[in-house]
Amino acid sequence: MAPGSTPAPVLQAHDIHKSYGRHPVLRGADLTVTPGQLVAVVGENGAGKSTLLKALAGTLPVDSGEVALTGTLGHCPQDPVLNASLTVEQHLHYFAAAHRLPDLDRGRELVDLLGYERYLASVAGELSGGTRQKLNLTLALLHDPDVLLLDEPYQGFDWDTYLRFWDLVEGLRARGKAIVVITHLVFEQDRFDLLADLTDGRLTPRTTSKEGHHVGA
Amino acid sequence: MSVPDALRPRPLYGQFPTALRFCVRDQTRNRLAALLLVLFVPAWYLMMDALAGDTPLDFKLYATGRVLHVDGGHLTLISAGLNSVTMIAGFVVFDAVRKALAFDRRLVFAGYRQSTLIGAKSLAVAVVASGIALYTALAMLPFWRPDPGGWFAVLAGFTAIALTYGALGLLLGVLVKHDLEGFFLIIMGGLMDTFLQNPLGNPLANKPVLEWFPSFGPMQFAVGGSFGNTALWSHLALGLGWAAAFAAIGLVIFRIRTRNRTRRQARRDPVLLPK
C-alpha cells in the first residue's frame, strides 16, 4: 500500500510488557488497528488475552510499552460487570449519565438489536447469563465509541443472538468503528480483517486474514 | 470526536442525582438487613431489657465528671440500640459498597467523575444510616419513654454511631477481600465496642480506656441527654469524628481503587495509556 493512503491508526500498542510477579504474560506485544477494522486476537486459555485487552483499555498498568488511542473507547469485559440490584433500564440510565448522553435512543436501539427489550424492567441479578452478557455489551456500546474492545463477547449467546451480534458488528464497521475481539475460538475466520495469535506474550498475524485490509500486528 | 462544551447537547441525566438515587437503592435492597431491622431490633431490646431488669447502675459522664445513678434496664436499652445500629448500618453499607466496587470502577472508566460518585455514595450512606438510627430509636419507645429531649439525645447518639459504622462498612467494603472478613470485623467490633460502654457486669465500667472506642462519644451523649439532662456536644462531635475518619480513609481507598488510568490529552491527539 502506498505511503499516505494508509488510514491513521486509531489504536496502536507498541512493545507491551506485563508480568505478574515473576511470570511474564506479555513480552513485547504490538498491535495497530485502523478505523473500520475488525481484528481478532486469538490465544489459548492463559495466553494473556484478557491482560492484553485490559492493557489496551487502560484498566491495567503495564510494565513497559505504550498504547496510543485516538477517539473514544468502549470496553466490554469478559465477565459482565453489572449491578445486581439495578434494572436493565437503570443501567442504561446510569451509563447515560456517565457518558453525559443527551438521550437514551442508542441504548434502546441496542437493546432492540440484541433482542432483550422484554427485560428492560428486570434487575440484573435475575437475568440469565446470556442476557447479562447482552447488557454488558450494550453498556460498552452506549456512547458509540470509535474503538471497541470485546473480551469473549459472544460467550453464552444462542445462535440467533450470535447472528444479531455479527449484524451489529458489521453495522459498526460500516460506520468506520474499529473493533478488537479477543477470543479463544474463532468459528468464522473470514469475518475478520486480521487474525492475530497471542503466543509467548507476542502477537503474530495469521496469513489467512482478508486481503486489502492490511494491518500490522 | 470531541465537541466544544458550548455545542454539546445537554445531558439527559445529571451525574450526582443519578448516583445518589442508585446508591440509596443499592443500600436499601438488602433484604436480610431489612429483616434484621424489623425483627432483630425489637427482639434484642426485649432480651436485653429482661436480662438487665431494673438494677441500678453507676455511669460516669466524662465531660462533667458526674456519676449518674441510673436504671440499668434503660441504660442497657441504649447500649442494645447502639449495638443493633452498629451491626445493621455496618452490614448494609459494607455489602453494598463491596458488591458495587467493580461496577463503580466501570462507571468511572465510562466518564463518571470520581468526586461526584464519592459525594453521592457518602450522602447515600448518611441517609441510610440516619434511617436505621431513627427506626432503632423509635423501636425503643415501647420499652422505655424518656422525655422528648432525652429521646432526641438517644436518636443523636444512634445517628452518630450509625454514621460511624456505616463509614466503617464503606472502609471495609473497599479494603477487605472476602465477605466473611468484613462481617466478622463489623459484628465483633460493634459487640465489643458497645458492650464495654455499659457498666452492667463489665469490669472495665467507667474506666478511661473506654474513651478509645467509637461508641464512647455517642453513648456519653445519649446517656447524658436522657438521664442527666445535659447535652454533651463535644462527645457527639467525638462520635462524628470517628465517622469522618473512617469515611475519609475509605473514600481515599475507593478513589485509588476506582481511578481511571487513561490520561486524556487535547482533542484529536492520541490518548496515551500509562506504563
Side-chain angles (χ1 to χ4, degrees):
Chain A
M1 199 174 282
S5 66
T6 310
V10 71
L11 177 70
Q12 203 162 22
H14 177 63
D15 199 25
I16 302 295
H17 288 257
K18 176 70 186 175
S19 299
Y20 293 110
R22 287 184 181 176
H23 177 57
V25 178
L26 301 176
R27 295 192 282 190
D30 294 308
L31 181 68
T32 303
V33 186
T34 53
Q37 270 190 327
L38 175 56
V39 177
V41 172
V42 188
E44 295 172 356
N45 294 333
K49 302 185 296 295
S50 293
T51 299
L52 175 67
L53 192 100
K54 286 176 192 164
L56 294 177
T59 58
L60 181 74
V62 295
D63 300 334
S64 65
E66 203 161 73
V67 180
L69 168 74
T70 310
T72 50
L73 177 76
H75 173 208
C76 183
Q78 183 176 7
D79 295 320
V81 177
L82 307 172
N83 186 320
S85 70
L86 300 182
T87 66
V88 169
E89 180 118 45
Q90 286 167 337
H91 276 84
L92 301 184
H93 179 154
Y94 222 156
F95 277 78
H99 291 297
R100 300 172 181 83
L101 301 181
D103 54 57
L104 272 184
D105 296 352
R106 179 62 176 156
R108 294 190 198 286
E109 186 189 357
L110 288 164
V111 169
D112 288 345
L113 275 169
L114 291 167
Y116 67 109
E117 57 278 6
R118 66 182 181 280
Y119 296 111
L120 270 171
S122 305
V123 292
E126 292 169 6
L127 297 175
S128 69
T131 311
R132 286 169 61 79
Q133 186 62 5
K134 289 179 195 177
L135 178 57
N136 193 35
L137 182 62
T138 302
L139 298 183
L141 283 165
L142 201 61
H143 59 304
D144 204 21
D146 301 313
V147 182
L148 188 59
L149 304 175
L150 307 174
D151 195 349
E152 306 279 2
Y154 31 76
Q155 228 174 32
F157 283 176
D158 54 32
W159 181 248
D160 183 48
T161 311
Y162 178 77
L163 295 178
R164 284 167 186 254
F165 166 78
W166 283 114
D167 288 344
L168 177 59
V169 167
E170 286 305 325
L172 292 170
R173 188 156 63 155
R175 290 194 291 117
K177 308 294 183 184
I179 301 140
V180 178
V181 175
I182 291 215
T183 182
H184 65 288
L185 283 174
V186 179
F187 299 114
E188 298 161 286
Q189 295 195 9
D190 55 351
R191 285 191 184 273
F192 295 93
D193 299 314
L194 172 77
L195 283 153
D197 287 302
L198 184 61
T199 319
D200 296 330
R202 292 186 191 88
L203 282 168
T204 316
R206 276 192 207 170
T207 50
T208 51
S209 60
K210 274 186 190 171
E211 294 298 325
H213 279 93
H214 175 78
V215 265
Chain B
M1 185 166 35
S2 299
V3 176
D5 283 347
L7 299 177
R8 193 171 283 169
R10 192 180 155 79
L12 184 61
Y13 304 113
Q15 289 199 342
F16 187 80
T18 301
L20 179 63
R21 181 182 150 201
F22 292 141
C23 287
V24 170
R25 183 188 159 91
D26 229 6
Q27 291 172 28
T28 48
R29 279 188 57 92
N30 187 327
R31 286 181 192 156
L32 178 59
L35 203 67
L36 280 176
L37 208 57
V38 173
L39 298 179
F40 172 77
V41 171
W44 195 229
Y45 278 138
L46 194 67
M47 196 188 302
M48 295 311 289
D49 193 40
L51 182 79
D54 52 3
T55 323
L57 291 173
D58 289 339
F59 186 89
K60 184 177 177 184
L61 289 183
Y62 279 77
T64 60
R66 270 170 71 199
V67 175
L68 302 175
H69 305 288
V70 299
D71 181 312
H74 294 163
L75 187 75
T76 300
L77 285 173
I78 295 178
S79 68
L82 285 171
N83 178 239
S84 308
V85 165
T86 61
M87 260 195 302
I88 298 170
F91 169 52
V92 163
V93 178
F94 170 75
D95 193 49
V97 167
R98 191 175 142 62
K99 281 182 181 160
L101 192 59
F103 186 74
D104 287 338
R105 197 179 294 129
R106 188 172 187 182
L107 282 171
V108 171
F109 191 81
Y112 238 98
R113 278 187 302 272
Q114 265 191 319
S115 52
T116 305
L117 206 52
I118 284 171
K121 205 164 270 288
S122 307
L123 188 56
V125 170
V127 167
V128 172
S130 303
I132 292 169
L134 176 64
Y135 173 84
T136 310
L138 288 171
M140 188 188 74
L141 291 175
F143 302 92
W144 173 42
R145 284 183 184 242
D147 62 69
W151 182 80
F152 276 108
V154 171
L155 173 64
F158 284 6
T159 305
I161 201 69
L163 291 172
T164 302
Y165 275 77
L168 178 64
L170 188 148
L171 168 60
L172 294 174
V174 294
L175 190 65
V176 302
K177 286 195 171 170
H178 305 289
D179 281 345
L180 269 182
E181 296 164 18
F183 294 146
F184 181 81
L185 286 169
I186 288 167
I187 292 169
M188 291 313 292
L191 266 178
M192 192 173 75
D193 178 17
T194 54
F195 271 68
L196 286 180
Q197 302 298 329
N198 187 340
L200 184 69
N202 170 14
L204 287 176
N206 302 321
K207 296 279 193 303
V209 68
L210 299 180
E211 294 177 47
W212 298 99
F213 289 86
S215 72
F216 171 74
M219 181 74 172
Q220 289 281 317
F221 188 83
V223 175
S226 55
F227 292 107
N229 295 316
T230 321
L232 306 174
W233 296 112
S234 60
H235 283 78
L236 189 66
L238 179 66
L240 295 174
W242 275 95
F246 283 144
I249 301 168
L251 292 171
V252 166
I253 297 171
F254 177 80
R255 192 176 171 85
I256 293 168
R257 294 198 65 180
T258 58
R259 73 183 181 275
N260 184 350
R261 294 170 189 278
T262 54
R263 294 194 299 267
R264 301 249 166 232
Q265 297 188 341
R267 84 188 162 101
R268 297 202 65 79
D269 286 347
V271 177
L272 290 176
L273 304 178
K275 290 180 183 178

